[in-house]
Amino acid sequence: MNNQTMKALTFKRYGKSPGIGLAEVPRPTLKGDELLVQVHAASVNPIDNMIPTGMFKPVLHFQLPATLGSDLAGVVTEVGRNVTRFKPGDAVFASIFDLGTGAIAEFAVVPERAAALKPANLDFVQAAAIPMVGLTSWQALKERASLQASQKVFIPAGAGGIGTFAIQLAKHLGATVGTTTSTGNVELVRSLGADEVVDYKQQAFENVLRDYDAVLGTVRGDAIEKSIAILKPGSRIISLIGPLDAAFARAKRLNFVLRFVFGLMSRKIMRLAKQRDVSYSFLFMHPDGAQLTEIGKLLETQRIKPVIDKVFPFEQAKEALEYLAQGRSKGKVVVKML
């Protein structure tokens, strides 16, 4: 290992056998507006398991072999010539999702606009658990749903990575929160602030919950279609798992063919939503250092706490992805480099 290379968790190709594993790759070079960060910890997210399948190939662009992961916390070792807000030695955390590079590596490049100072009361493992779930929850609940104190939001899979954060943020915004979980996790989601908890092994949520103002789509399958039944007219469904829609294709400046395809993919849910006077949209989180700074303040005042299920050493980064894929983690799965 020399100064020109580093270890990273990469995938070589799309499809059934993506060839995921640790590899020696060139150490990234800095542009003027970027920081070079020595990664102390990186967390894994469900999308990290989806990317190598090729599912998001039309939308996310990687040069293969590509480094996986987008959530990181670490220490700035170098700054580009135009960087003004950070200096070497700063402890930072960031999401570099959809920026063409990866976080599960010894070093990562982070655009200045995507970085935020690490909350002082969190260690690197805790800080690395936050960016994807924090920014996704913030952009869905605060920006897109404009969630108000008097409203009710349904956040299914409350014990998962996104659920554990989104429940806490919704409670901070003053909303009433409904969720689903299995029997063993009922206490956990209640401790995070969930008001109406449906044990999905005992009951179907659509038979129990009523008069909700917003739904955060976090579960694959027909859960989003079923959730229409619990919503009031004029409410919103914000899906993190699809189907992708034409508005998303337009926002990403995708070509006409993809706009058409995504329009077809979301046609059924759009039709069902319209019948109930409900709006549907797909959300792809975007990195945002300013929002992450605001989230950092909530973590520093302990209004929100990170929930971590398991920490893997860097050598077992691939196992961390495999563990996450089982779908049983309570909170986040983190890879610790240092």
Side-chain angles (χ1 to χ4, degrees):
M1 164 104 186
N2 58 37
N3 284 341
Q4 272 67 55
T5 66
M6 64 173 186
K7 258 201 207 136
L9 183 71
T10 65
F11 73 102
K12 297 188 178 113
R13 65 193 82 83
Y14 292 108
K16 288 266 190 289
S17 54
I20 296 171
L22 287 175
E24 286 278 323
V25 301
R27 198 190 272 203
T29 51
L30 279 189
K31 296 196 186 95
D33 62 345
E34 290 177 335
L35 325 170
L36 185 68
V37 175
Q38 184 170 22
V39 181
H40 285 232
S43 70
V44 292
N45 294 286
I47 197 156
D48 298 325
N49 277 316
M50 295 176 206
I51 286 167
T53 66
M55 186 171 171
F56 287 102
K57 210 162 133 191
V59 181
L60 294 172
H61 303 295
F62 291 98
Q63 277 187 305
L64 299 181
T67 300
L68 284 161
S70 63
D71 277 352
L72 63 93
V75 174
V76 177
T77 58
E78 217 184 303
V79 297
R81 64 186 178 281
N82 305 329
V83 170
T84 56
R85 292 187 303 120
F86 300 93
K87 60 187 185 307
D90 283 348
V92 296
F93 70 142
S95 164
I96 51 171
F97 179 68
D98 196 13
L99 301 178
T101 59
I104 307 173
E106 289 175 308
F107 291 86
V109 285
V110 179
E112 182 176 29
R113 65 182 163 79
L117 289 172
K118 177 180 77 66
N121 61 321
L122 300 190
D123 62 26
F124 288 102
V125 166
Q126 293 169 315
I130 297 298
M132 171 73 88
V133 296
L135 289 167
T136 301
S137 303
W138 186 275
Q139 290 164 19
L141 301 179
K142 261 187 85 88
E143 290 191 329
R144 204 170 281 188
S146 308
L147 197 61
Q148 306 298 314
S150 57
Q151 292 184 315
K152 287 164 68 169
V153 60
F154 177 48
I155 300 167
I162 189 85
T164 48
F165 191 97
I167 289 172
Q168 295 182 82
L169 180 62
K171 290 310 293 178
H172 170 69
L173 297 172
T176 299
V177 179
T179 191
T180 53
T181 197
S182 61
T183 319
N185 293 333
V186 169
E187 283 313 304
L188 169 66
V189 298
R190 283 207 185 282
S191 76
L192 297 172
D195 302 285
E196 293 193 90
V197 180
V198 179
D199 178 345
Y200 66 78
K201 297 196 166 168
Q202 313 283 331
Q203 289 173 298
F205 73 84
E206 65 273 22
N207 299 336
V208 184
L209 305 177
R210 283 290 166 269
D211 294 326
Y212 273 68
D213 299 281
V215 168
L216 191 60
T218 60
V219 180
R220 301 199 159 280
D222 56 2
I224 289 181
E225 289 170 17
K226 287 179 175 164
S227 69
I228 291 173
I230 75 169
L231 287 167
K232 292 179 188 164
S235 51
R236 292 171 175 269
I237 299 170
I238 298 146
S239 173
L240 309 177
I241 41 106
L244 283 69
D245 56 15
F248 167 72
R250 280 196 298 276
K252 289 282 287 178
R253 298 193 174 89
L254 300 177
N255 64 37
F256 170 76
V257 175
L258 286 172
R259 291 182 198 190
F260 180 72
V261 169
F262 293 171
L264 283 182
M265 283 161 72
S266 57
R267 194 165 61 172
K268 184 183 178 192
I269 188 74
M270 292 287 196
R271 190 183 72 239
L272 294 170
K274 201 171 167 190
Q275 285 165 2
R276 288 293 292 255
D277 187 24
V278 169
S279 77
Y280 170 86
S281 64
F282 173 75
L283 178 81
F284 225 29
M285 183 280 287
H286 57 271
D288 188 314
Q291 289 178 358
L292 205 49
T293 300
E294 292 300 312
I295 291 164
K297 289 175 191 164
L298 295 178
L299 292 153
E300 279 195 313
T301 53
Q302 299 191 323
R303 290 198 170 89
I304 294 181
K305 295 184 172 72
V307 180
I308 292 169
D309 178 90
K310 206 165 174 185
V311 181
F312 287 80
F314 189 25
E315 295 68 51
Q316 292 176 15
K318 186 182 178 190
E319 285 78 358
L321 281 178
E322 288 162 0
Y323 174 73
L324 180 70
Q326 294 167 13
R328 293 197 186 89
S329 60
K330 300 176 195 181
K332 293 283 303 192
V333 177
V334 182
V335 177
K336 190 173 189 290
M337 280 69 169
L338 290 171

